[in-house]
């Protein structure tokens, strides 16, 4: 792990220690600088769950990734700095079928100041800007929304997000059980190849703003900022490539398409 290169990628120049303040700042910077994206799946690139490959893609090539990649590499950074961390498995909620299978999502638990904190830089708009203390029924609010941890059953906790109607909608279930990166290989393959996976349906690239978010799919660009909304149709692949570079700094095609 090249800590300095990773911190430069995050545009982070603060203290590098194992305090809660540092964890919060790293988490926040990560969400504002590295997008959640599934472009590899749609451009024929294999996703390799191996730290060196993830570092090359996310840090050196200035790309993003989905949960296995983003949280997988962030875990390595936190561990290299000296944080007590473990990977955990999440089961994402689908309104049509309920909670997905084990290893559907990768998140992190960090133990700081005698408390476990849920850390997740790979869940887009459905996770707060900062780590959540594993304290039940404590509402956490920030510019991205309101969140609540509850006990789902004897085995699982649930993270919930409040929607515009005031209803608490589950995001995913998780346990505190430590996992290896290789444990997620089968579900990672599923999400790259199966027609039943959300990630194979459409290109997606999304990143947080301090008071909003930029999200792009095959057909639309959506920008929210300070409660203002801009919707723009994406007409074709060249325009998608141009907007991808303009808003996310990602260049997937040859430079001539960006003219």
């Amino acid at each position: 792990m090249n800590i300095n290169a990773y911190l430069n990628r995050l545009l982070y120049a603060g203290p590098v220690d194992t305090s809660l303040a540092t964890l919060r700042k790293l988490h926040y910077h990560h969400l504002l600088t590295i997008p959640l994206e599934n472009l590899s799946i749609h451009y024929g690139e294999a996703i390799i769950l191996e730290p060196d490959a993830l570092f090359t893609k996310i840090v050196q090539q200035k790309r993003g990734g989905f949960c296995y990649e983003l949280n997988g590499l962030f875990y390595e950074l936190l561990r290299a700095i000296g944080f007590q961390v473990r990977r955990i498995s999440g089961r994402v909620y689908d309104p049509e079928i309920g909670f997905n299978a084990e290893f559907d999502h990768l998140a992190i638990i960090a133990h700081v100041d005698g408390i476990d904190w849920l850390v997740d830089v790979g869940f887009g708009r459905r996770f707060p800007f900062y780590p959540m203390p594993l304290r039940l029924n404590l509402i956490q609010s920030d510019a991205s929304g309101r969140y609540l941890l509850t006990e789902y059953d004897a085995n699982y906790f649930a993270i919930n997000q409040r929607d515009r109607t005031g209803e608490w909608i589950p995001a995913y279930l998780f346990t505190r059980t430590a996992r290896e990166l290789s444990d997620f290989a089968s579900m990672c393959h599923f999400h790259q190849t199966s027609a039943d996976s959300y990630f194979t349906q459409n290109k997606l690239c999304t990143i947080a703003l301090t008071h909003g978010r930029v999200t792009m799919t095959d057909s639309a660009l959506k920008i929210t900022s300070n409660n203002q909304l801009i919707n723009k149709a994406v007409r074709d692949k060249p325009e998608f490539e141009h907007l991808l570079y303009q808003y996310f700094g990602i260049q997937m095609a040859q430079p001539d398409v960006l003219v």
Side-chain angles (χ1 to χ4, degrees):
M1 171 55 62
N2 185 331
I3 293 175
N4 287 335
Y6 202 148
L7 297 182
N8 288 338
R9 173 75 172 100
L10 298 181
L11 304 179
Y12 177 81
V16 183
D17 55 33
T18 58
S19 68
L20 177 60
T22 293
L23 177 63
R24 284 171 55 86
K25 290 175 183 177
L26 290 172
H27 195 278
Y28 182 70
H29 276 254
H30 209 292
L31 294 177
L32 294 179
T33 55
I34 301 183
L36 172 68
E37 50 104 332
N38 65 350
L39 300 176
S40 289
I41 295 170
H42 297 272
Y43 284 81
E45 299 176 351
I47 294 173
I48 302 171
L49 290 189
E50 194 276 327
D52 285 347
L54 298 179
F55 184 88
T56 296
K57 176 181 177 179
I58 295 171
V59 176
Q60 295 181 331
Q61 297 177 354
K62 300 188 183 302
R63 287 279 306 281
F66 59 178
C67 69
Y68 306 117
E69 302 171 277
L70 300 180
N71 285 321
L73 190 62
F74 194 45
Y75 165 89
E76 299 294 341
L77 173 66
L78 295 178
R79 189 167 69 95
I81 290 173
F83 285 98
Q84 297 180 41
V85 287
R86 58 186 182 272
R87 308 175 197 87
I88 60 168
S89 166
R91 299 173 56 193
V92 177
Y93 178 71
D94 183 323
E96 296 183 0
I97 64 173
F99 292 99
N100 291 331
E102 200 68 73
F103 303 111
D104 184 53
H105 182 63
L106 190 161
I108 302 166
I109 287 180
H111 190 74
V112 183
D113 294 343
I115 299 172
D116 281 344
W117 299 80
L118 182 62
V119 174
D120 197 336
V121 294
F123 207 61
R125 63 179 178 83
R126 299 176 67 191
F127 196 86
F129 280 132
Y130 302 102
M132 296 185 67
L134 290 192
R135 292 176 175 169
L136 300 180
N137 305 312
L138 175 67
I139 296 175
Q140 178 164 318
S141 302
D142 61 30
S144 67
R146 305 186 75 187
Y147 307 87
L148 179 70
L149 290 179
T150 58
E151 187 175 49
Y152 180 75
D153 60 22
N155 299 312
Y156 286 98
F157 300 99
I159 175 173
N160 307 272
Q161 184 181 32
R162 195 170 188 176
D163 68 11
R164 293 180 179 178
T165 69
E167 183 179 358
W168 290 102
I169 306 299
Y172 59 84
L173 302 179
F174 67 96
T175 72
R176 300 188 190 206
T177 303
R179 309 291 189 176
E180 297 297 327
L181 189 57
S182 59
D183 293 336
F184 298 87
S186 179
M187 283 301 291
C188 181
H189 178 74
F190 167 83
H191 282 303
Q192 292 179 74
T193 59
S194 175
D196 294 327
S197 170
Y198 169 80
F199 292 105
T200 62
Q201 307 301 311
N202 204 336
K203 297 188 191 78
L204 171 69
C205 193
T206 181
I207 194 166
L209 305 175
T210 54
H211 291 90
R213 176 168 291 275
V214 181
T215 299
M216 188 165 66
T217 64
D218 283 325
S219 59
L221 174 71
K222 179 180 178 181
I223 304 171
T224 56
S225 181
N226 293 311
N227 296 318
Q228 300 295 314
L229 173 63
I230 298 173
N231 274 314
K232 174 180 172 58
V234 179
R235 295 168 298 180
D236 51 28
K237 186 175 180 180
E239 184 173 30
F240 178 90
E241 300 284 354
H242 176 76
L243 294 172
L244 185 67
Y245 185 74
Q246 179 180 350
Y247 286 98
F248 302 96
I250 295 176
Q251 185 172 296
M252 297 297 294
Q254 295 300 315
D256 58 356
V257 305
L258 303 176
V259 175

